[in-house]
Amino acid sequence: MKAVILHEYGGPEKLKYEEVPDPVAGEGEVLVRVAASSVNPIDFKLRSGAMQQYWPLQLPAILGRDVSGIVRSVGSGVTGFAPGDRVIALGNQAYAQLAVVSTADLTHLPDGLDLVEAAALPLVTLTGEQLISRGVKIQRGQTVLITGAIGGVGRTAVFTAKKAGAVVLAGVRKNQMKQAAEVGADQVLALDDKDAMEKLGFIDAVADTVGHETAENLLAKVKQGGVFASVLGPPANAKMHPTVRVESVRAVPDATMLRTLAEDVAAGRFKIPIDRMVPLENAADAHAAAEKGGIGKILLLA
């Protein structure tokens, strides 16, 4: 099969499109013919070596977490999946034409959801859902501010918090206020507007996807006994706010929840924007574009 291989840490140019042996599904695993994957920030952090202290790669490595495709074959002991099934998963080594996925992490694609576009969903939707359900542990009627609310993780967090009955503030930049109107929050707040930030009273929780100075400023807005949950680790000033519970969230596979979120997307209840679709062989260009920032996901067509 063809795959994108990382032989050494570095810039996007280190990603090479090469021929490698086909993987084989083992016990409890499924071999998926990948239709598409997508580029996530963790991919270029791993590629660059920025994460090697916490998450070292065994090089050469195949990156990619999002898997969307069709079952090619199943390993021993597999039930519930058969060749030809349309599936999605939060997996590994997805920058390839074929990927092996544990059945525990795999779910069938809901009707009405495009197979290629579904590749935008697994990591960002599970991260956003778990940021709220496992990090914030939001309760009905509580108020939560979600930073980066127009990104994929942020949009999912807004949807999840609203579904739980919370009052949701969508935190974005001033120039994103119009876009933020579509995410379904109760209120939109410009995090780079000093006056707006000063007027913000104490809130029950913050669900953070942006980190840095914004996170440090918002930590002071969480009431005593409240929660600050982030996908980027604790703010640098966390020790100055001992009465706030600070939670770090890293997404874990959850096939049942992924199916539920995919059904919600298929039904139009929320959406993950897609910026562009590029051939897998152009993964280096996709990484370079993704690192510049933007709202929509970049899909890699395998």
Side-chain angles (χ1 to χ4, degrees), residues 108-127:
H108 292 91
L109 195 71
D111 292 339
L113 198 58
D114 182 83
L115 183 64
V116 169
E117 293 180 359
L121 303 183
L123 184 57
V124 295
T125 60
L126 285 175
T127 301

Side-chain angles (χ1 to χ4, degrees), residues 51-262:
M51 294 287 292
Q52 60 180 307
Q53 182 178 348
Y54 311 100
W55 196 340
L57 296 175
Q58 184 175 345
L59 300 172
I62 300 174
L63 302 177
R65 301 298 311 276
D66 294 324
V67 177
S68 178
I70 297 174
V71 174
R72 172 72 62 85
S73 63
V74 301
S76 61
V78 171
T79 59
F81 296 96
D85 287 354
R86 290 158 30 102
V87 293
I88 53 173
L90 177 58
N92 288 291
Q93 300 183 329
Y95 287 8
Q97 292 177 330
L98 297 169
V100 170
V101 182
S102 168
T103 54
D105 303 337
L106 195 67
T107 189
H108 292 91
L109 195 71
D111 292 339
L113 198 58
D114 182 83
L115 183 64
V116 169
E117 293 180 359
L121 303 183
L123 184 57
V124 295
T125 60
L126 285 175
T127 301
E129 192 279 333
Q130 291 170 17
L131 180 60
I132 298 299
S133 67
R134 301 186 184 194
V136 173
K137 296 182 174 66
I138 198 70
Q139 302 296 314
R140 180 172 294 278
Q142 289 185 323
T143 297
V144 57
L145 189 155
I146 297 168
T147 68
I150 61 174
V153 174
R155 286 169 182 262
T156 310
V158 169
F159 174 75
T160 301
K162 285 296 295 179
K163 197 173 181 180
V167 177
V168 179
L169 310 181
V172 296
R173 294 192 295 269
K174 285 181 185 178
N175 62 3
Q176 298 171 333
M177 296 284 282
K178 186 175 181 180
Q179 288 173 287
E182 69 180 35
V183 304
D186 295 287
Q187 182 181 336
V188 178
L189 178 69
L191 300 177
D192 54 352
D193 184 329
K194 186 177 179 180
D195 291 338
M197 289 290 283
E198 287 179 352
K199 292 176 183 177
L200 177 66
F202 287 107
I203 54 179
D204 298 297
V206 169
D208 174 53
T209 75
V210 300
H212 305 296
E213 185 179 348
T214 298
E216 294 177 38
N217 293 337
L218 287 174
L219 183 56
K221 297 290 187 177
V222 180
K223 69 180 186 181
Q224 290 189 5
V227 184
F228 184 99
S230 178
V231 298
L232 297 168
N237 61 340
K239 290 183 179 179
M240 296 174 61
H241 300 273
T243 64
V244 176
R245 177 167 60 87
V246 177
E247 297 282 349
S248 294
V249 177
R250 177 184 289 179
V252 294
D254 184 336
T256 300
M257 179 51 66
L258 178 57
R259 168 72 188 204
T260 298
L261 292 164

